[in-house]
Amino acid sequence: MEMFGDNCCPPPCNTLGFLQKNNSMEEKGRLSGQKNLLSCDNSDRDARFRRTETDFSNLFARDLLPAKNGEEPTIQFLLEVVDILTNYVRKTFDRSTKVLDFHHPHQLLEGMEGFNLELSDQPESLEQILVDCRDSLKYGVRTGHPRFFNQLSSGLDIIGLAGEWLTSTANTNMFTYEIAPVFVLMEQLTLKKMREMIGWPGGEGDGLFSPGGAISNMYSVMIARYKYFPEIKTKGMSAAPRLVLFTSEHSHYSIKKAGAALGFGTENVILLSTDERGRVIPADLEAKIIDAKQKGCVPLFVNATGGSTVYGAFDPINEIADICEKYNLWLHVDGAWGGGLLMSRKHRHKLNGIERANSVTWNPHKMMGVPLQCSAILVREKGILAGCNSMCAGYLFQPDKQYDVTYDTGDKAIQCGRHVDIFKFWLMWKAKGTVGFEQHIDKCLDLSQYLYNKIKNREGYQMVFDGVPQHTNVCFWYLPPSLRGMPDGDERREKLHRVAPKIKAMMMESGTTMVGYQPQGNKVNFFRMVVSNAAVTQSDIDFLIDEIERLGQDL
Amino acid sequence: MEMFGDNCCPPPCNTLGFLQKNNSMEEKGRLSGQKNLLSCDNSDRDARFRRTETDFSNLFARDLLPAKNGEEPTIQFLLEVVDILTNYVRKTFDRSTKVLDFHHPHQLLEGMEGFNLELSDQPESLEQILVDCRDSLKYGVRTGHPRFFNQLSSGLDIIGLAGEWLTSTANTNMFTYEIAPVFVLMEQLTLKKMREMIGWPGGEGDGLFSPGGAISNMYSVMIARYKYFPEIKTKGMSAAPRLVLFTSEHSHYSIKKAGAALGFGTENVILLSTDERGRVIPADLEAKIIDAKQKGCVPLFVNATGGSTVYGAFDPINEIADICEKYNLWLHVDGAWGGGLLMSRKHRHKLNGIERANSVTWNPHKMMGVPLQCSAILVREKGILAGCNSMCAGYLFQPDKQYDVTYDTGDKAIQCGRHVDIFKFWLMWKAKGTVGFEQHIDKCLDLSQYLYNKIKNREGYQMVFDGVPQHTNVCFWYLPPSLRGMPDGDERREKLHRVAPKIKAMMMESGTTMVGYQPQGNKVNFFRMVVSNAAVTQSDIDFLIDEIERLGQDL
């Protein structure tokens, strides 16, 4: 096992040698034509690993473990990759680095210098593989950069990253305790903790981590159907009356997608009207329930959104729950985006009533900064997930194992193999404590309020809705000077509709920042700013506003 | 940016210092009570990183990036994690290491020494986090160990591992080109290459990587339904006649699960009889189609399995395709397990006719050794995935972006966010070439034939089916001496049924190897041996047989 020589003390670098890469090479993103050098300059970054002098140009994947004598090249190769990754991590947090280096699809497909996406029959050297790794990062997008505001998921949590590296190395599957004992237990304990925060008595209930909020929401519809019409599992939807689902017109499109996939049909997903802040109007729900019943449909399921995608709106859960109780409907809360606020004593009141839900979607990979993917579906009634989905495959869920097979949770899922999404989250919770998540959430909401205060009365800005945002979403139009005096009307609307896409395109071309935009209902394109990255400061908010004005002033 | 001092040349270790951990500490899986030492012994493993002297007991997650002065602790922490991981990698390939260190759920829940799964409000030190990382691996299962045969997915590919570390670091999402330009293109090119191997003209068609074979199979049923009854998307299953699906009694349970989830009902998933090798009998398919039609049902979809889970059987695709053409049915090939054989000139004939399928599931994370998860759904008809699933969410799929938005592929999926599963696979393909995958597959099949030849006439063994296995699955009973003279009958069957679970339990307790078992139909528990790990050699096969005999001889 000991194969790295007898001497743990590194000799001077000009005798043993440390791989040095000069900066310009790194900027070019390749090693091509350069062998490992023994030079000793004052760039010490790459000297941090005691690498042997490894010429990767003559090494191939077949030389790595499990190859004979593969241990040393394996470790050397992994260290080289880690060097690329740690440099990427450093730069991600460095505001002098661009968020992205944009290229059009045809440009990347034609092949950038030395970076060819095409696959071939013959292997590439490990040197080229390392170049490919560098270039894949170089032409990507730094979603952890403090000025990347484009998505609800952003940031690069170091503990979460370490957790994900470990998960990859463990390379196992969640379906049985047999092959994932530690991860299965972590999942159970973490889900219980999440249920306690929801407020279900004793944290009782059920749940799973699923591949994203859309699938978690799909689970909620499936189990609601199973609860009220269990015979559909065997007989299909034709055994049931025409079932309808209710969700806000501001809710995530995954509810509609689930309606289509599960055989309800999108026409049977009834959209609820909202107030000007994007919150469901409970009276509209009740009216539409009554209307559906009069049409001979059977109302089944109501989705209340806890933090909508665009406005960050929180539906009034308690009022919706009253109606669900009255009509005996399943109440789901889609807290994919807003669920994290349960961790904040200051903000959790926005989810008041969530304890009355039958199921909850909560994505730690959004507001809580856990690396992608990490989404939980939580269910108040124990056993119903298994009832809904189990098929009792004998080859996987043998009843005659030597351990307590109630820990084999795979049959509750619609997946067979299931990626280990729990470890990074568990590790982050250990490392930060509940209080760490709370501080993170409070800080992000404070930053959003800072932005809101900054622009609400600023010349050239118009808020999409009035009042302090409920979540970190701040929705606004930027009006270039040329539009400011223009009277409201079609021409102004059409021009304004084109402003955000133009600014966004210029942002991406210059690589300085990224923020989302979209139309909503009859509202033309507006910016949706969100904060979920722990690296963001007020200066980054200021930078975004400066950048919008710099790029947009002449439009 | 330069913060590690001016001197790239490491001074002697007793002045700068290298973190040393002695082996016994590592075996105990914890650092507790030990500070970083400046000692210099002849254990050089941990000296490979030029770590600074970092006392993690006083550091917390909040001290890492983006904290001020967080860069150094961040890099130190990540290097410490990498040290844990590379040690794990080394040991995984070391046959003197156990496959697992088994503990019952209650033991792990009660807490092993220093390893407490419970979450708390307050943060743990980074020292404890590192202990948690070590312990999480210690009490897990080494799925990459050369003697881990328990699952269709096994092995630890170093290139794939590096790819997964990079994917975690990039921490992005597949839904738009905007935030995953490189990965989106890699996915497109790789799927095209896979379609070429299937034999669809010009590699044309469509596809996605999905979270596992069960979801890929679910996609196939969804798009078949959309192809024949597009109105179901809007109107639901009640708008359609009673639709039926056909799949072998040996097929994966995910077809049935999809039938339940999508609203067909499990009773409308009709199981087809197989021959003694587990292959669908085409005449039975035709008879059941006719029967279903006579009952007023509408046959929609046939699943042919390319490599069944237990027997490794390949259904006769061409004969099934003839019947599908005759009755105008969707033909899906579930090649989750066997699809990899397309890469082998020697073995791809087992999938002859796959080019006639309308859709194919193919999991590179199984036979091709790609880390979990990596599963493709491939579709012959372009555009149908989008037609089936798109909901055109304005906040994500803006039509007025500055680039060609046909590269925004997220709306084809039932997921919204989608994990980047492509990079590791693309990188492995680059690093091995098609020929590398071919060699891997041929080798695994050779090893299975070695096992088959070894035990087919060996005393105490009985094959579950006759003849050379089609895939790497070798299914057999081990008969302890006490059973060998016993006449066939209920008593012998009952005893034999208990043999495999008992041996398996002892294997797990001793931690020496793991192999799966299950009953099938009226056959009592038998072992299912599979090989997909590149690290396996004939000696590991010999070891397994020795171990079965050692543990089973006195039963």
Side-chain angles (χ1 to χ4, degrees), chain A residues 431-470:
Chain A
K432 294 167 194 289
T434 313
V435 296
F437 284 122
E438 178 178 47
Q439 285 158 5
H440 168 70
I441 283 156
D442 289 352
K443 186 195 150 200
C444 290
L445 278 138
D446 285 350
L447 283 169
S448 284
Q449 193 161 351
Y450 172 79
L451 170 62
Y452 170 74
N453 289 332
K454 182 181 175 105
I455 62 173
K456 67 179 172 183
N457 297 317
R458 189 181 179 94
E459 194 189 348
Y461 290 81
Q462 191 180 330
M463 306 309 291
V464 173
F465 55 83
D466 292 330
V468 178
Q470 290 188 283

Side-chain angles (χ1 to χ4, degrees), chain A residues 5 9 40 44 48-50 76 103 116 177-178 225 234 252 257 261 389 398 400 413 430 504 517, chain B residues 5 9 40 44 48-50 76 103 116 177-178 225 257 261 267 389 395 398 400 413 430 504 517:
Chain A
C9 304
C40 203
D44 64 354
R48 309 200 68 250
F49 298 124
R50 191 179 132 206
Q76 291 304 319
H103 292 80
N116 175 6
Y177 178 86
E178 188 170 324
R225 180 175 66 182
T234 49
H252 192 260
K257 237 174 204 189
N389 293 316
Q398 303 92 333
D400 47 12
K430 279 274 190 191
K504 171 72 173 277
Y517 73 85
Chain B
C9 303
C40 201
D44 64 354
R48 310 202 67 250
F49 298 122
R50 191 177 133 211
Q76 291 304 320
H103 291 80
N116 176 7
Y177 179 85
E178 190 171 322
R225 179 176 66 180
K257 236 174 202 188
E267 287 177 7
N389 293 317
Y395 79 94
Q398 303 92 335
D400 45 12
K430 279 276 189 189
K504 170 73 175 277
Y517 74 86

Side-chain angles (χ1 to χ4, degrees), chain A residues 535-551:
Chain A
V536 178
T537 63
Q538 291 187 357
S539 72
D540 299 307
I541 306 279
D542 294 338
F543 179 85
L544 174 75
I545 293 304
D546 290 348
E547 196 68 359
I548 287 174
E549 294 176 1
R550 179 179 76 83
L551 297 168

Side-chain angles (χ1 to χ4, degrees), chain B residues 355-376:
Chain B
E355 70 284 357
R356 297 171 67 187
N358 300 96
S359 56
V360 172
T361 292
W362 175 354
N363 289 8
H365 74 214
K366 292 198 165 80
M367 195 58 212
M368 292 164 70
V370 179
L372 290 158
Q373 59 190 23
C374 190
S375 168

Side-chain angles (χ1 to χ4, degrees), chain B residues 457-519:
Chain B
N457 296 317
R458 189 180 178 96
E459 194 188 350
Y461 290 82
Q462 190 181 332
M463 307 309 292
V464 174
F465 56 84
D466 291 331
V468 179
Q470 291 188 281
H471 205 334
T472 73
N473 307 49
V474 179
C475 295
F476 62 92
W477 288 282
Y478 170 72
L479 291 86
S482 68
L483 285 183
R484 289 180 200 166
M486 196 179 285
D488 204 3
D490 284 352
E491 191 192 342
R492 183 176 181 274
R493 281 174 56 82
E494 279 162 31
K495 289 198 165 172
L496 184 55
H497 189 58
R498 289 195 293 271
V499 168
K502 277 187 193 156
I503 292 175
K504 170 73 175 277
M506 288 188 282
M507 279 175 178
M508 286 179 66
E509 299 280 351
S510 62
T512 49
T513 182
M514 282 176 78
V515 63
Y517 74 86
Q518 65 286 298

Side-chain angles (χ1 to χ4, degrees), chain A residues 6-12 16 50, chain B residues 11-14 18 20 39-41 44 47:
Chain A
D6 294 321
N7 184 1
C8 82
C9 304
L16 179 72
R50 191 179 132 206
Chain B
C13 72
N14 60 348
F18 290 80
Q20 297 292 335
S39 69
C40 201
D41 65 29
D44 64 354

Side-chain angles (χ1 to χ4, degrees), chain A residues 195 197-201 204-206 220 223-224 228 301-306 315-322 324-325 329-335 342 351-362 377-382 384:
Chain A
R195 289 189 302 260
M197 304 199 106
I198 287 170
W200 290 333
E204 285 301 301
D206 212 336
S220 74
I223 52 181
Y228 289 95
F301 168 99
V302 178
N303 172 55
T305 302
D315 288 337
I317 302 176
N318 266 319
E319 293 170 67
I320 294 171
D322 289 341
C324 288
E325 278 174 21
L329 308 184
W330 185 277
L331 174 58
H332 175 66
V333 173
D334 176 5
L342 290 170
L351 290 150
N352 276 354
I354 195 170
E355 70 283 359
R356 298 171 66 185
N358 301 97
S359 55
V360 172
T361 292
W362 175 354
I377 171 70
L378 299 138
V379 190
R380 194 168 60 189
E381 182 176 327
K382 205 165 180 161
I384 196 168

